[in-house]
Structures are given as structure tokens and as C-alpha cells.
Amino acid sequence: MIIRGIKACELKDTRKDKTILVSIKTDVGLFSASSPTGKSTGKHEKPAYKKSLEKDIESLNKLSDYFKEEIIEKFADLRRVEDLVDGHVGANTTFALESAVLKALAKEEKKEVWQLINPKAKKFPRFLGNIVGGAKHSESKKKPDFQEFLIIPKTSSPKKSYSTNIMTKKAAGKVLSKIDKGFKNKKNDENAWMTQLGERDILSLLEKTKLDLGLDIAASSFYKRKKYKYNNPPLDRTIPEQLDYISNLIKNYSTLSYIEDPFDEEDFESFAKLLKKHPDRLIVGDDLTVTNIKRLKKAIEKKSINAIIIKPNQCGSLLEVEQVIKLAKENDIKIVFSHRSGETSETILADLAFGFGADFFKCGIDGDARVKKLERLIEIEKSFK
Ligand code: PGA
Ligand code: ZN
């Protein structure tokens, strides 16, 4: 396949913030892909743009002609794409470009995108549905200190998981309207319910669903001057107190099986202590590892995690995504593909998750941009029947 031309432009994400859309022209058509954008971003993520979105658009449009000389036949040929843009653009731009290239290549080869990664893929990831949210993703004054409360249906069928999550979310809304006096029927950035309740009340409510539960604590967002600064209720916890607190939550809520970023993004040691105490739960790195091979190596050395979030635009390079996943799997670390809080209607995340054999898929419960990706997995599931 030869890329005849590239054009980048701006697009609005679900938060109405600007992001990048990249279109490429080949002999079989025009293919576009966009990148999502995070708000609760890790300090060690690659910058979304080199200097700015506008400059990245300019740079990529200028590079357009150079692509004509490269022949792209397989996933590994993304190396040629990366060599051309390396040092010129940021992670969002690289990810959107590589996604558009894969979509074009799939069409040319008469394949699905996931088949370019692994034609024998057959495992479906379990859904992690963000049902109640707080922290950086919710704009209200009184809110949970933890960023995401997740439900995890036990089935690996995307279709069944989807309907379980939708039903459970509706029911949770009804319960919240009864027990939370400040409940306004509002949803946050990721379409999770906004509430004034604190984490223990929410967990007690969700425990009744009998589903497995998860938390994205996103602890870096409230870690300041060596203390975890809780607001709901107001309380400072030291590092050992945070470890005890999270460990007690795990002990008190037997279905709490997934805990993402329980500590600050530099604190590999506390992650390791928690994992040592609770090897039967998933201790997940997101801001800790930022889809970065060096950070993953460190997490493995320190025994910090047994699951890792994969957000392709944290590093921008799908070749690095491949490397990170390979190393994680070799070390028995579960793979969790994840959307970002600012999303677009792009669905390639579903193909990547399926192709790379992800164990979990964190992509919200409702809202168009999220549902499109969930539906893409349902469509892949149908194609196997
Ligand atoms: P972000 O948050 O997309 O705003 O970075 C999602 C997460 O922390 O998992
Ligand atoms: Zn996270």
C-alpha cells in the first residue's frame, strides 16, 4: 500500500475540546482516524502534541509528500510511518495517523483491523463500565475523591456485558436519586453518574449488584506534599495510612477485584506493598506506567502491578503498545485497553483490544462515543457466529 497524501485537521471531542483528525489517501480510498484526549493525564505520558495542535497539523501536512516513497504491507511497517514523523509531532497525532494507516491497510488487504494484529484472535475482553464518577472527571463541588467506580460483568460476551451494564446503570441512577439528596441526574465527562456520596457509600450501593467491582482511584490527582488529601469527608492520609485504607476497603468489599492507581504515580513501592497483601486482586497501573516500556520494566522489577492500562495515545506509537503488551503478557500482567475521558467516535480501540488479546476493555457504559466502541466489539462477536 502506498500513502498518496495526508491531511490533518481539528475535530471536537466529547468535552468539546479540540483534538486531531488525520485522513490519508490511498489507491482504494480515503481513511480517517482521530485521537482522544485525557484530562487526568499521567505526568510521564508523551505530550499530546509537539508544541501545539495547530503546529502538529502544519507539520504533518508538510510531511505528506514523503510518505509516497514508503510501501506499507503489514502492522510492523508502522515503523516506516514512525521514522518519518519522529520528532515532528506529538502522541495524539502519531496515534491518529497510525490508526488511519491501519484502517487503510485493512481495506486494501480485505481484512479487519484486528486481523492485521492477530488473525487468530478469539478472546473477548471483559467490560469495565464506569458507573459513578468523581475527581477530575466531575465538575460538581461535592463529589467522590475517587475518579471512577466500575462494574465488571462476569461474562466475556460483549453483547451480554453491554446490556448488563446499561441495566445496572439505570438502576443505580434510581437508587442514587433516593439516597443522595444532592443527586441531580447528571453525568460526568465519561457519562458516569455524578453524586455527592463518598467512596464507601458508593461501594456499599454497588456491592448489591453482585457484579465484580473496580475503582480507578487516580490517586496522583489528590496527592499533595506527601499526603492524600481527601475532601469527602475532609481528611489527610499519609502514605502508610493510604495503604491501610485501600487495603481495608479491599477487605471490606469482597467483590472489589480491580484497583487502578491507588497511589501516586511515582510510588512503585506502595503499589508493590498492596499487591503483596492482596495478590488475588488486580492492582492496576495507569498513570504509574503510561503505556511506556521503561515504566513497565520498572513496575515488573518492583513487583508493583498485576494489570496494566493500555491507552495508545499515552505513548502515540502502536509499536510501543505492541512491545508493552508483549512484555506484560510474559510477566502475567493482565491487559486493560482503555478509552480517554475526552473521546471521539473513532472505534479502532475495539479492534486493537481484540487483536492484542486484551483481558479487559474500559470504555464507559453509555454516550455515543463510548457505545460505538462497545458496539464494534459486539459486531466482532457476531462475526464469529
Ligand atoms: P483520562 O482518565 O482519560 O482523563 O486521563 C482516564 C483514567 O484515568 O483512566
Ligand atoms: Zn486511570
Side-chain angles (χ1 to χ4, degrees):
M1 178 182 87
I2 292 168
I3 299 171
R4 303 283 175 198
I6 298 186
K7 199 158 176 39
C9 64
E10 283 174 7
L11 175 80
K12 291 272 168 76
D13 69 14
T14 46
R15 254 194 302 257
K16 309 228 161 30
D17 290 335
K18 287 179 191 168
T19 185
I20 192 159
L21 176 80
V22 176
S23 304
I24 68 165
K25 196 168 173 286
T26 72
D27 294 334
V28 295
L30 194 66
F31 303 87
S32 306
S34 54
S35 174
T37 307
K39 189 184 214 175
S40 159
T41 47
K43 199 163 80 195
H44 298 280
E45 289 189 30
K46 301 242 166 75
Y49 305 106
K50 185 160 185 238
K51 281 204 182 99
S52 67
L53 169 62
E54 293 71 21
K55 281 261 171 352
D56 267 29
I57 289 176
E58 221 181 281
S59 307
L60 196 55
N61 288 341
K62 268 191 206 149
L63 287 169
S64 178
D65 280 347
Y66 294 96
F67 284 85
K68 286 184 192 139
E69 282 148 42
E70 302 295 338
I71 295 175
I72 294 173
E73 291 173 322
K74 53 186 184 307
F75 183 87
D77 294 339
L78 289 177
R79 168 65 51 220
R80 303 174 197 272
V81 174
E82 287 182 20
D83 284 349
L84 279 174
V85 297
D86 196 31
H88 297 280
V89 297
N92 275 14
T93 306
T94 317
F95 174 49
L97 171 63
E98 294 192 5
S99 298
V101 170
L102 286 184
K103 282 165 133 182
L105 184 60
K107 183 77 176 180
E108 184 128 339
E109 302 277 316
K110 299 193 175 56
K111 285 180 182 162
E112 302 294 328
V113 169
W114 63 264
Q115 290 173 316
L116 298 175
I117 300 161
N118 177 10
K120 292 193 189 124
K122 57 176 192 295
K123 185 178 89 180
F124 286 94
R126 286 175 70 191
F127 283 15
L128 283 162
N130 187 358
I131 187 163
V132 177
K136 281 196 178 165
H137 291 170
S138 295
E139 295 234 306
S140 55
K141 230 172 155 210
K142 189 171 180 203
K143 56 187 174 180
D145 291 304
F146 294 173
Q147 184 175 283
E148 295 165 28
F149 296 78
L150 304 149
I151 47 173
I152 319 169
K154 290 197 184 352
T155 171
S156 63
S157 157
K159 192 166 173 224
K160 287 186 196 153
S161 305
Y162 177 67
S163 58
T164 301
N165 281 355
I166 291 277
M167 242 170 43
T168 311
K169 182 156 178 229
K170 265 196 196 143
K174 280 196 185 140
V175 179
L176 281 171
S177 66
K178 284 191 193 126
I179 63 172
D180 171 9
K181 288 192 190 77
F183 188 67
K184 296 197 180 78
N185 227 27
K186 276 199 171 158
K187 295 174 181 176
N188 74 358
D189 282 5
E190 289 191 355
N191 276 65
W193 291 121
M194 283 165 60
T195 177
Q196 298 198 343
L197 300 181
E199 62 271 359
R200 275 167 292 185
D201 287 337
I202 301 169
L203 285 170
S204 300
L205 181 159
L206 294 179
E207 202 177 28
K208 300 199 176 84
T209 64
K210 302 259 187 279
L211 300 171
D212 286 335
L213 302 181
L215 287 174
D216 182 359
I217 296 177
S220 299
S221 70
F222 59 100
Y223 181 70
K224 284 176 193 101
R225 282 169 262 113
K226 299 209 166 26
K227 295 259 170 65
Y228 292 94
K229 302 252 173 210
Y230 285 72
N231 280 310
N232 187 8
L235 180 71
D236 286 0
R237 288 190 168 94
T238 61
I239 298 167
E241 283 167 351
Q242 173 78 348
L243 176 62
D244 283 347
Y245 183 56
I246 305 301
S247 179
N248 280 332
L249 285 181
I250 292 176
K251 283 182 202 148
N252 290 336
Y253 296 96
S254 61
T255 48
L256 183 54
S257 54
Y258 173 105
I259 300 103
E260 181 179 329
D261 282 345
F263 305 100
D264 178 61
E265 58 207 317
E266 307 296 2
D267 192 357
F268 287 83
E269 287 75 19
S270 292
F271 274 77
K273 284 180 190 159
L274 188 68
L275 178 56
K276 195 159 184 211
K277 279 184 174 209
H278 304 284
D280 57 333
R281 313 296 167 105
L282 292 174
I283 307 301
V284 192
D286 172 16
D287 293 342
L288 181 82
T289 37
V290 293
T291 320
N292 175 303
I293 194 78
K294 282 198 197 128
R295 308 267 311 168
L296 172 60
K297 279 183 185 156
K298 187 162 174 190
I300 291 169
E301 237 172 68
K302 304 241 174 200
K303 299 191 172 58
S304 303
I305 54 170
N306 55 1
I308 183 169
I309 285 274
I310 303 290
K311 290 170 174 166
N313 78 319
Q314 280 180 326
C315 63
S317 153
L318 287 173
L319 294 173
E320 182 159 2
V321 164
E322 183 184 43
Q323 247 189 323
V324 167
I325 292 172
K326 184 167 175 281
L327 184 64
K329 285 188 178 178
E330 284 165 6
N331 287 278
D332 258 338
I333 291 173
K334 301 278 183 231
I335 306 297
V336 186
F337 262 79
S338 168
H339 63 164
R340 302 304 305 250
S341 51
E343 263 300 339
T344 71
S345 56
E346 177 53 57
T347 63
I348 198 164
L349 191 75
D351 281 75
L352 296 174
F354 185 69
F356 280 117
D359 300 284
F360 295 92
F361 192 63
K362 182 159 90 128
C363 191
I365 294 179
D366 56 10
D368 262 10
R370 328 261 162 207
V371 171
K372 281 208 164 74
K373 299 172 193 39
L374 303 173
E375 280 176 346
R376 172 64 186 142
L377 274 176
I378 295 173
E379 184 181 63
I380 299 174
E381 182 183 34
K382 263 196 207 149
S383 73
F384 276 79
K385 287 189 176 146

